[in-house]
């Protein structure tokens, strides 16, 4: 039987989700001008990206700083398939994302055979090498001059174009969140979380850790590629500097971490906070190097003081306000478990 | 086919570059050995040291080499503080991942501050001996490159002597090999780990000064260094100083030779190619021991 605190958390989550869905669906009507609407699209794009990142980061605990490169590959893949391959826009989007997933297989194979440190190194190297290739191979990618992606709806006016893409991004976000939720409840998800908590033990107990990590990395790459491709169709102008930027990847990490990587909606909450802040910063301060400093300081603060994110902190607050104080063992890190393991065992044997 | 003299010159330049790579990779290896930390900010500190050398030369008019009198102790102190105040606070279970993010954040802050204070303009030190060069069997070697290599060589040798011959070096190596056992025999491992980080960051100060002698610097340059350096420590085997040095020499040489045919940008890809191949074929690296197999 769910306890009072669990129920109150659940009610709070449902209310918040319904409110978000209502506001999101009405946002194109509420937005006072096309600029605000385009900011909404950028924030949604961030939400999709960091939710996609969270397939790897949240379930397995492997932190990738290179997902920006996967988004860039999705964007360029889609753009090149339209301009050079002559495919219709949305077919190119699908094929592009599948190609990103295929590319992710050898990358994941090399990166995931050993533990975390090599994975991070490969993820950063991925951004640097893709930037190098896409800047230098100008005859194919357009190089630093950029790549123009034709619009999917040629006759459409700009506000209407924004409106359509807002809903497309929203649908993609819902799809990514749905898949994340399904994995979270599955046996596969349980195996992934076992890897996060203790990879050695998971392997000893028969979890095919390497295969699981690889599959979830490819799924993550697929959604990241879709988000990148959709961005290319919306924005229509690609530049390697921005597409293959280490900053894009770090924004994804920052958003997911700030919101809470163990929560389905953590990355969304993080994207709403960080994405809006980034856009505000851009308007107020322009393109000064200070946005780098702000990003770095915020990331350091989150890592040092709030590595579990905002949502778990809110949940803890709710639980403290409600009468009973029982906890579930399921979502506790190995470190916390080691620290409080003795007390909890006593409490549980008493409950039995 | 390039001429013999050009080939010879490339080999020399590759070895000189490899020396600098080896020194910087030694610093990265040190951090990894001590705490299993992949220190992304290492090359940002490298560029910071290069900026300080440039600034002291243009503003104060002193030789960039003398700036090391300030930057080396300063960076040593920064390294100790970084380890004791920031990295030691992270949870041990997620240390490897979270430390990457923390040092990444530091790198981004340094890049942003450099851009804010010195602007994004490309800077270069104009030295009296900047254009001097030596002729050796038809190859022209710039004197500043020899000085940079000499600095790297002396620093590496000093590091080697500290690690092998001093009590502190023994304590540091014991801490790297087995932290708990080191604690049991009475080593203050926290203190030693802090000093180890200081040593690592001091190599960045020396490397940065060497770099500033003949390189055009700009705030985002550190990304061009961290990629190759990380590739080097993986190819050499995470945690192995001799492995890192050997990989640095081989890859530096390969980069220099490939530049003849491919140009500077494409030649850089050799590092990433080596990284991917190493991880796919031999994930523990070519000189890695027990440590590398688990990371």
């Amino acid at each position: 039987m769910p306890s009072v605190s669990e129920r109150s958390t659940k009610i709070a989550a449902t209310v918040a989700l319904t409110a978000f869905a209502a506001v999101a669906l009405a946002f194109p009507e509420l937005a006072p001008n096309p600029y605000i609407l385009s900011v909404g699209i950028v924030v949604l794009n961030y939400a999709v990206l960091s939710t996609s990142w969270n397939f790897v980061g949240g379930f397995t605990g492997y932190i990738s700083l290179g997902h920006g490169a996967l988004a860039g590959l999705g964007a360029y893949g889609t753009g090149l398939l339209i301009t050079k391959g002559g495919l219709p826009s949305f077919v190119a989007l699908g094929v592009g994302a599948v190609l990103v997933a295929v590319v992710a297989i050898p990358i994941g194979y090399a990166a995931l055979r050993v533990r975390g440190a090599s994975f991070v190194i490969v993820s950063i190297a991925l951004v640097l090498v893709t930037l190098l290739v896409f800047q230098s191979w100008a005859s194919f990618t357009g190089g630093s001059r950029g790549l123009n992606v034709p619009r999917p709806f040629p006759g459409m006016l700009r506000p209407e174009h924004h409106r359509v893409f807002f809903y497309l991004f929203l649908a993609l976000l819902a799809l990514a969140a749905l898949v994340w939720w399904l994995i979270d409840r599955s046996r596969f998800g349980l195996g992934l979380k076992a890897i996060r908590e203790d990879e050695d033990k998971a392997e000893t107990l028969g979890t095919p850790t390497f295969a699981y990590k690889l599959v979830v990395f490819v799924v993550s790459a697929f959604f990241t590629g879709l988000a990148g491709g959709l961005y290319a169709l919306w924005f229509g102008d690609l530049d390697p500097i921005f597409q293959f930027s280490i900053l894009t990847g770090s924004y994804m990490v920052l958003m997911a971490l700030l919101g809470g990587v163990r929560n389905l909606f953590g990355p969304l909450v993080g994207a709403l906070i960080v994405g809006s802040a980034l856009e505000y910063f851009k308007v107020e301060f322009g393109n000064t190097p200070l946005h780098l400093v702000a990003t770095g300081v915020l990331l350091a603060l989150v890592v040092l003081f709030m590595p579990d994110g905002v949502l778990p902190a809110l949940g803890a607050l709710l639980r403290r306000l409600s009468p009973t104080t029982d906890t579930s063992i399921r979502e506790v890190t190995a470190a916390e478990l080691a620290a409080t393991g003795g007390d909890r065992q006593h409490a549980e044997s008493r409950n039995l | 086919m390039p001429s013999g003299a050009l080939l010879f010159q490339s080999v020399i330049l590759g070895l000189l570059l490899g020396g600098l790579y080896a020194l910087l990779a030694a610093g990265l290896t040190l951090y990894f050995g001590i705490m299993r930390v992949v220190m992304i900010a290492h090359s940002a500190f490298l560029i910071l040291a290069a900026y300080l050398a440039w600034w002291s030369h243009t503003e104060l008019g002193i030789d960039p080499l003398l700036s090391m009198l300030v930057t080396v102790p300063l960076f040593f102190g920064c390294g100790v503080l970084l380890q004791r105040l920031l990295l030691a606070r992270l949870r041990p279970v997620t240390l490897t991942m979270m430390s990457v993010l923390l040092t990444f954040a530091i790198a981004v802050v340094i890049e942003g501050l450099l851009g804010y204070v010195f602007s994004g303009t490309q800077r270069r030190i104009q030295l009296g001996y900047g254009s001097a060069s030596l002729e050796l069997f038809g190859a022209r070697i710039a004197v500043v490159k020899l000085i940079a290599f000499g600095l790297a060589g002396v620093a590496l040798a000093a590091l080697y002597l500290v690690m092998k011959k001093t009590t502190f070096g023994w304590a540091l190596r014991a801490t790297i090999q087995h932290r708990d056992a080191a604690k049991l025999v009475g080593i203050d491992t926290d203190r030693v780990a802090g000093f180890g980080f200081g040593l690592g960051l001091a190599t960045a100060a020396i490397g940065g000064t060497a770099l500033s002698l003949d390189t055009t610097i700009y705030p985002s340059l550190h990304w061009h260094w961290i990629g190759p350096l990380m590739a080097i420590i993986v190819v050499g085997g995470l945690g192995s100083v001799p492995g890192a040095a050997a990989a640095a020499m081989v890859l530096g040489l390969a980069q220099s030779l490939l530049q003849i045919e491919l140009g500077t940008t494409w030649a850089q890809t050799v590092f990433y190619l080596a990284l991917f191949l190493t991880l796919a074929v031999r994930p523990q690296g070519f000189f890695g021991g027990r440590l590398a197999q688990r990371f």
Side-chain angles (χ1 to χ4, degrees):
Chain A
M1 203 187 96
S3 67
V4 180
S5 66
E6 250 173 67
R7 221 181 306 147
S8 65
T9 318
K10 209 166 252 175
I11 291 171
T14 318
V15 170
L17 181 60
T18 319
F20 170 76
V23 172
L25 285 171
F27 186 76
E29 308 302 325
L30 299 174
N33 56 48
Y35 165 71
I36 296 292
L37 188 53
S38 76
V39 170
I41 297 175
V42 169
V43 171
L44 267 185
N45 182 33
Y46 280 134
V48 180
L49 285 174
S50 67
T51 303
S52 312
W53 176 90
N54 207 29
F55 280 96
V56 177
F59 285 132
T60 67
Y62 277 61
I63 287 184
S64 157
L65 281 165
H67 266 56
L70 296 172
L73 284 175
Y76 263 93
T78 305
L80 289 171
L81 281 169
I82 297 170
T83 52
K84 310 255 164 169
L87 290 182
S89 297
F90 288 95
V91 177
L93 175 66
V95 176
V98 170
L99 282 181
V100 174
V102 171
V103 169
I105 295 173
I107 296 169
Y109 178 79
L112 291 164
R113 279 181 60 191
V114 272
R115 300 290 158 79
S118 308
F119 180 74
V120 178
I121 291 178
V122 169
S123 74
I124 295 174
L126 186 64
V127 179
L128 299 173
V129 76
T130 45
L131 176 61
L132 210 67
V133 168
F134 277 79
Q135 271 189 326
S136 308
W137 196 5
S139 60
F140 185 61
T141 64
S144 305
R145 287 195 317 280
L147 178 74
N148 265 312
V149 183
R151 289 194 170 187
F153 315 109
M156 201 177 270
L157 291 174
R158 187 169 285 266
E160 188 59 24
H161 189 252
H162 283 339
R163 191 189 305 266
V164 169
F165 269 91
F166 186 88
Y167 286 119
L168 282 174
F169 271 111
L170 201 59
L172 185 55
L173 177 63
L175 181 66
L178 178 69
V179 173
W180 200 94
W181 183 74
L182 286 174
I183 292 179
D184 190 34
R185 296 165 60 90
S186 69
R187 202 183 161 74
F188 175 51
L190 204 60
L192 292 173
K193 282 184 257 181
I195 294 172
R196 177 180 75 197
E197 299 308 337
D198 193 327
E199 194 163 343
D200 286 324
K201 281 198 193 101
E203 199 159 358
T204 316
L205 291 172
T207 311
T209 51
F210 176 59
Y212 273 27
K213 286 188 287 183
L214 189 57
V215 169
V216 86
F217 180 67
V218 171
V219 170
S220 171
F222 175 73
F223 278 109
T224 312
L226 268 184
L230 199 56
Y231 177 83
L233 291 181
W234 172 61
F235 199 69
D237 187 21
L238 303 176
D239 185 326
I241 288 274
F242 296 111
Q243 290 305 310
F244 299 102
S245 156
I246 192 98
L247 274 182
T248 318
S250 63
Y251 289 152
M252 288 185 220
V253 182
L254 177 58
M255 288 162 187
L257 222 54
L258 181 67
V261 290
R262 284 150 195 257
N263 289 69
L264 171 55
F265 300 112
L268 171 61
V269 171
L272 288 176
I273 300 171
V274 179
S276 326
L278 282 174
E279 288 301 312
Y280 173 78
F281 219 77
K282 219 180 269 170
V283 173
E284 284 296 303
F285 301 101
N287 243 342
T288 63
L290 283 182
H291 75 271
L292 284 175
V293 179
T295 307
V297 168
L298 187 57
L299 184 60
L301 288 178
V302 170
V303 167
L304 281 173
F305 300 110
M306 216 171 27
D308 289 331
V310 174
L311 285 186
L314 280 179
L317 191 69
L318 264 180
R319 233 169 291 138
R320 210 182 312 151
L321 294 176
S322 65
T324 51
T325 51
D326 55 341
T327 50
S328 147
I329 185 171
R330 216 174 123 248
E331 293 289 329
V332 177
T333 63
E336 286 164 8
L337 205 60
T340 60
D343 312 339
R344 186 164 294 113
Q345 266 168 12
H346 282 299
E348 279 185 357
S349 54
R350 249 183 287 126
N351 285 345
L352 287 173
Chain B
M1 192 60 206
S3 70
L6 181 61
L7 218 53
F8 180 64
Q9 172 154 332
S10 288
V11 169
I12 301 275
L13 289 180
L15 291 177
L16 294 182
L17 183 64
L20 193 52
Y21 279 141
L23 173 66
L24 293 168
L28 274 180
T29 306
L30 216 50
Y31 310 125
F32 190 81
I34 296 167
M35 275 190 93
R36 318 289 176 266
V37 163
V38 180
M39 167 80 166
I40 311 280
H42 191 58
S43 61
F45 278 101
L46 172 82
I47 305 304
L48 177 63
Y51 262 98
L52 291 176
W54 165 80
W55 183 81
S56 62
H57 180 71
T58 47
E59 295 295 316
L60 310 176
I62 55 176
D63 193 275
L65 292 176
L66 289 176
S67 73
M68 280 196 297
L69 291 177
V70 177
T71 53
V72 171
L74 181 73
F75 276 41
F76 182 86
C78 283
V80 175
L81 291 180
L82 174 70
Q83 198 274 338
R84 299 305 296 275
L85 296 184
L86 296 179
L87 292 171
R89 295 179 56 105
L90 298 172
R91 293 178 194 156
V93 181
T94 50
L95 179 70
T96 302
M97 289 301 176
M98 289 302 161
S99 64
V100 167
L101 290 182
L102 191 56
T103 56
F104 176 87
I106 293 168
V108 171
V109 169
I110 291 177
E111 181 186 339
L113 286 177
L114 281 179
Y116 185 67
V117 175
F118 296 117
S119 86
T121 317
Q122 304 200 337
R123 311 286 185 180
R124 197 184 175 94
I125 291 181
Q126 303 297 335
L127 282 173
Y129 48 91
S131 57
S133 63
L134 291 179
E135 283 264 352
L136 189 70
F137 304 116
R140 292 183 72 81
I141 312 296
V143 169
V144 282
K145 281 203 193 299
L146 285 175
I147 296 176
F149 180 77
L151 270 179
V154 169
L156 261 181
L159 187 63
Y160 179 84
L161 287 178
V162 167
M163 296 284 279
K164 289 278 182 187
K165 302 284 175 194
T166 65
T167 325
F168 166 70
W170 289 3
L172 183 56
R173 280 188 297 143
T175 307
I176 291 173
Q177 278 168 16
H178 203 300
R179 206 173 175 127
D180 292 335
K183 223 180 246 168
L184 278 176
V185 297
I187 294 171
D188 185 351
T189 50
D190 289 343
R191 217 173 115 95
V192 168
F195 287 162
F197 261 72
L199 270 188
L201 215 51
T203 67
I206 298 171
T209 311
L211 183 72
S212 74
L213 293 177
D214 73 327
T215 312
T216 306
I217 52 176
Y218 45 92
S220 63
L221 180 64
H222 68 111
W223 295 115
H224 290 280
W225 279 83
I226 197 64
L229 287 177
M230 289 191 307
I232 286 168
I233 62 169
V234 169
V235 172
L238 286 169
S240 157
V241 176
M249 283 303 188
V250 171
L251 289 176
L253 196 58
Q255 183 193 13
S256 181
L257 286 174
L258 284 173
Q259 273 179 5
I260 305 175
E261 292 290 332
L262 300 174
T264 45
T265 3
W266 286 105
Q268 268 226 319
T269 53
V270 70
F271 288 101
Y272 305 111
L273 208 61
L275 171 68
F276 282 105
L277 286 179
T278 305
L279 285 175
V281 179
R282 203 181 149 81
Q284 71 272 36
F286 287 94
F287 298 85
R290 188 175 52 85
L291 247 182
Q293 293 179 3
R294 290 181 41 83
F295 296 89

